[in-house]
Amino acid sequence: MTPNAPSTFNNMLLIAGFECRKFLFNLRGIIALIAFALVWGILLLYPIQGASTLLMQPNVKDLIDGLLGSQALNVLFDWPVAEMAIFWCFALYLFPMFSILIAADQFSSDKTRGTLRFYTLRTSKDSLLFGRFLGQILIQGLLILLTILATIALALTRDIGLLLPALTSGALVGVNLVIVILPFTAVMTLLSLYANTARQAMVLATILWTVVSIALLILGNQSSLFEGLQWILPGAQLSNMVNTNGLNSFAYAPIPLLQTAFALFLGRVYIQRSQL
C-alpha cells in the first residue's frame, strides 16, 4: 500500500456515501422513496392522526386500562405530544420490516454478477462489509428523519406551541429507532452475503425469525433457564419498548447493540473466508 492510499476507514466512508447516492439517485431508489412517502403519508393522515385524537380523550385511558391492565400502555399517556406517541408505536414495528426489505440486497446481486470480486481488487473486504452496512443505516436514518419531521408538522397543525416538546421527543425517538434497526440491518448483511438474490435473503430472514421464535418459545416453556435466550433474536425487546418514552427507552439499547456486534462479527468471518 502506498503512503497516500486511502485507509480502510476512508474506503468505508466512500462506500457508504456511494450506497446513499445509489439509493437516492437511482430509479429503483426513487420509486422506493415515493412508495415509502405514500405509505407513511396515509399512516400519518389517518391511523396516527385519528389515534392521537383518541389518546387525548380523558375516558380512553380508563378504557385501555380496563382492557389491557393499568400498566400495559400507561406511559403512552405521559408523552408531551400525542402524535409522536402513536408514531412511536407504529415505527417500532414498521421500520424493522422496512429494514429487512431495504437491506436485503446489500451483496446478493453483486455476488451473482461477480462484481463483488471486482470491488475487492480495489478495497478490502472489511471496507466493503462495514461501508455497505453504514450506507444502509444512513439511508434508513434519512427515512426515519423524514417521517419524524412529518409527524412534527402534523402535531404543529394542531397546536403550534408543541414545537419544542415535539422536537425533543422527535430527537429521542429518532436515535432510538436507529438503534432498533441496527441488528435487523446487520442480520440482512449476513444473509445477503449467503443468498444469491434479495428475495432469497428475505425468505431466509423469514425462516430465521420464525424458526428461532418457535424454538425459543418451546425452550422457554421447558425451563426458566431458557427465558433469557429470547434476547438473542433482533426485535425481542420491541414489545417492552412500546410502553416507554423519553430517555427511559434507552434502557433497552444494549440489547440491539450487542446483537448488531454479533451479527457483524459473523458477517466479517463469512466474507473473509468466502471467495466471492
Side-chain angles (χ1 to χ4, degrees), residues 33-53:
L33 268 178
I34 293 172
F36 179 85
L38 288 174
V39 169
W40 272 101
I42 293 172
L43 286 175
L44 285 168
L45 289 176
Y46 295 102
I48 292 179
Q49 188 176 35
S52 61
T53 303

Side-chain angles (χ1 to χ4, degrees), residues 231-242:
W231 303 113
I232 68 172
L233 191 67
Q237 82 284 5
L238 295 183
S239 59
N240 294 327
M241 292 183 71
V242 170

Side-chain angles (χ1 to χ4, degrees), residues 34-238:
I34 293 172
F36 179 85
L38 288 174
V39 169
W40 272 101
I42 293 172
L43 286 175
L44 285 168
L45 289 176
Y46 295 102
I48 292 179
Q49 188 176 35
S52 61
T53 303
L54 283 175
L55 198 66
M56 291 180 286
Q57 302 299 319
N59 56 339
V60 171
K61 185 176 188 303
D62 296 333
L63 178 63
I64 292 178
D65 287 349
L67 291 174
L68 304 177
S70 59
Q71 302 300 316
L73 294 174
N74 58 312
V75 177
L76 276 185
F77 296 89
D78 297 334
W79 283 70
V81 182
E83 288 83 356
M84 197 61 73
I86 303 300
F87 169 80
W88 171 247
C89 297
F90 276 87
L92 266 181
Y93 291 97
L94 290 180
F95 272 108
M97 287 193 286
F98 282 134
S99 180
I100 292 173
L101 182 65
I102 292 173
D105 195 22
Q106 292 180 64
F107 293 100
S108 52
S109 295
D110 281 332
K111 190 179 76 172
T112 304
R113 289 193 296 264
T115 48
L116 271 185
R117 183 171 298 177
F118 171 78
Y119 290 135
T120 54
L121 295 175
R122 287 155 176 79
T123 188
S124 67
K125 291 181 177 179
D126 282 346
S127 298
L128 199 57
L129 177 77
F130 294 111
R132 290 201 166 182
F133 171 77
L134 179 61
Q136 293 298 323
I137 295 300
L138 292 175
I139 291 168
Q140 294 173 68
L142 175 64
L143 298 179
I144 289 171
L145 175 64
L146 292 175
T147 53
I148 287 175
L149 291 176
T151 307
I152 292 173
L154 181 67
L156 295 184
T157 59
R158 177 171 61 85
D159 184 356
I160 193 68
L162 293 173
L163 177 60
L164 185 58
L167 287 174
T168 306
S169 298
L172 294 174
V173 166
V175 175
N176 259 308
L177 288 178
V178 170
I179 294 173
V180 164
I181 63 166
L182 284 174
F184 290 90
T185 308
V187 169
M188 293 313 294
T189 301
L190 175 62
L191 294 180
S192 68
L193 278 168
Y194 176 78
N196 293 320
T197 63
R199 181 178 297 179
Q200 188 180 29
M202 285 189 284
V203 170
L204 290 174
T206 304
I207 294 172
L208 174 69
W209 259 274
T210 304
V211 171
V212 174
S213 297
I214 293 173
L216 292 177
L217 183 63
I218 295 171
L219 291 173
N221 289 333
Q222 294 297 322
S223 170
S224 59
L225 291 176
F226 291 104
E227 288 182 1
L229 290 177
Q230 64 176 312
W231 303 113
I232 68 172
L233 191 67
Q237 82 284 5
L238 295 183

